[in-house]
Amino acid sequence: MDVPLIAGTVATVAFAVSNLPMLGKALRTRDVSSYSVSSLGMINAANVVYSLYVFSLPVGPIWALHTFYLVSCAIMLVLCVGQRRAASRRNRREGAVTPRGRGAGRSRGARAWSGVLRLGRAAP
């Protein structure tokens, strides 16, 4: 019995399964407005560089886990960029002005909670 291989396999399955709810919800709802495009871009860039190391190792559970991360992070980035582009096109078409100043780019709920945290009062 190869204990490190079994441990790696169990960890791979646990990490992948822990990401499935987030990925499933993003694919189902297509709502990734709470994700940062720059963060997802950096994660994908790091995954590509890390691939140089991972795929130089012998085939094993780490290959499966890293491939899962590569694919799931790429899907999240594509959804996020697509959603932002669609919103931008919609705003231009409708002549809407994008919000500027304090709270710009955050959801209404995030702006409300920042007011609660900043002022110690109830959200509007």
Side-chain angles (χ1 to χ4, degrees), residues 48-83:
V48 168
V49 172
Y50 191 57
S51 294
L52 298 173
Y53 167 69
V54 169
F55 296 128
S56 71
L57 298 172
V59 176
I62 190 69
W63 277 47
L65 179 61
H66 188 64
T67 301
F68 175 80
Y69 281 145
L70 278 171
V71 171
S72 63
C73 289
I75 289 170
M76 296 297 288
L77 180 62
V78 167
L79 289 175
C80 196
V81 168
Q83 185 177 30

Side-chain angles (χ1 to χ4, degrees), residues 87-88 90-101 104-105 111:
S88 177
R90 201 169 34 253
N91 286 341
R92 277 192 308 249
R93 189 173 42 240
E94 296 170 357
V97 178
T98 57
R100 298 281 182 231
R111 287 191 302 270

Side-chain angles (χ1 to χ4, degrees), residues 3-51:
V3 174
L5 183 61
I6 293 171
T9 302
V10 169
T12 295
V13 170
F15 282 123
V17 168
S18 71
N19 279 303
L20 288 177
M22 173 196 68
L23 189 58
K25 182 178 179 184
L27 289 170
R28 189 174 56 257
T29 65
R30 301 280 194 231
D31 180 18
V32 289
S33 58
S34 63
Y35 294 98
S36 162
V37 174
S38 59
S39 175
L40 287 171
M42 289 175 24
I43 289 169
N44 277 280
N47 275 339
V48 168
V49 172
Y50 191 57
S51 294

